[in-house]
Amino acid sequence: MLLWLTSAALAGHVYVNGVNVDALRDTTFTNVSVTIDAEGNLHIDAPGYTIEVVDPGGTAPPPVPAPSPVAPAPAPVMPAPAPPPPQPITTAPPTGGVASGKWWLLTEDNASVGHTVHVFVNGVKVTVLQSGAEPFILDIGAWLHSGPNTVEIKSNSANAGGGAMYVYLGEGANQSGTIVMDAPSVQFGLGPSRQGPHSRTYQLMVP
């Protein structure tokens, strides 16, 4: 049995199971022992009774909810670094050739994706180009000779996308580090719709 009582400062003291219950009214206890001490305090020993006192006019404060457990923040996932764009690889030019600084290979890449291009001059692989590389300039005079020259460009495209990729070969002028080529003799282009292998052969006439 549980009794919720209100305490008040009254004359004479009544204790039930050691708890002051001076404000207790209209209550009957059974099977209890009653003792009056030398100061006139009434002590009631009431087995089976539980006494709990609250503040006058107040209510027991609501229980404070335990804070919800906070899940630890997940460790940040760092994206894998993008691989560097592949750089063209040139083979050593043969001995001889025509004067340098006049015949050039240039590339233009409009954010293309998925193309690999092999360039051959007179049967010798000059360079390998791939989508995503920076613009590339190569003096190809060492691979040429006077008269007709054969230029073969082979490409392979897989999951192509982005813009177009172009390879130009022809006569140009180096103007303070900028190659000016008015009319390329060879123009090879690959668009985003290109898939699989592709090749073209050109004749490049060198005076």
Side-chain angles (χ1 to χ4, degrees), residues 149-154 186 188 199-204:
N149 293 262
T150 301
V151 175
E152 184 179 16
I153 301 180
K154 298 180 179 181
V186 173
F188 181 86
S199 66
R200 290 192 62 181
T201 300
Y202 307 83
Q203 290 297 315
L204 182 63

Side-chain angles (χ1 to χ4, degrees), residues 43-125:
H43 297 271
I44 300 174
D45 183 14
Y49 291 85
T50 301
I51 308 301
E52 188 166 346
V53 179
V54 297
D55 291 336
T59 58
V64 178
S68 300
V70 178
V77 178
M78 302 301 292
Q87 297 298 318
I89 302 173
T90 60
T91 58
T95 58
V98 299
S100 62
K102 189 173 183 180
W103 295 90
W104 302 90
L105 179 151
L106 311 176
T107 65
E108 177 186 350
D109 195 322
N110 299 285
S112 70
V113 175
H115 306 299
T116 301
V117 179
H118 299 254
V119 181
F120 299 82
V121 176
N122 293 322
V124 178
K125 182 185 291 188

Side-chain angles (χ1 to χ4, degrees), residues 119-203:
V119 181
F120 299 82
V121 176
N122 293 322
V124 178
K125 182 185 291 188
V126 171
T127 190
V128 179
L129 306 163
Q130 291 188 337
S131 289
E134 296 295 325
F136 182 60
I137 301 174
L138 177 65
D139 187 335
I140 60 170
W143 287 273
L144 298 174
H145 54 252
S146 297
N149 293 262
T150 301
V151 175
E152 184 179 16
I153 301 180
K154 298 180 179 181
S155 67
N156 190 40
S157 304
N159 301 316
M165 176 181 181
Y166 298 96
V167 180
Y168 304 110
L169 284 85
E171 191 173 4
N174 186 347
Q175 298 181 1
S176 300
T178 299
I179 305 303
V180 178
M181 186 181 296
D182 294 331
S185 302
V186 173
Q187 301 183 54
F188 181 86
L190 296 168
S193 61
R194 175 68 65 183
Q195 297 294 332
H198 177 61
S199 66
R200 290 192 62 181
T201 300
Y202 307 83
Q203 290 297 315

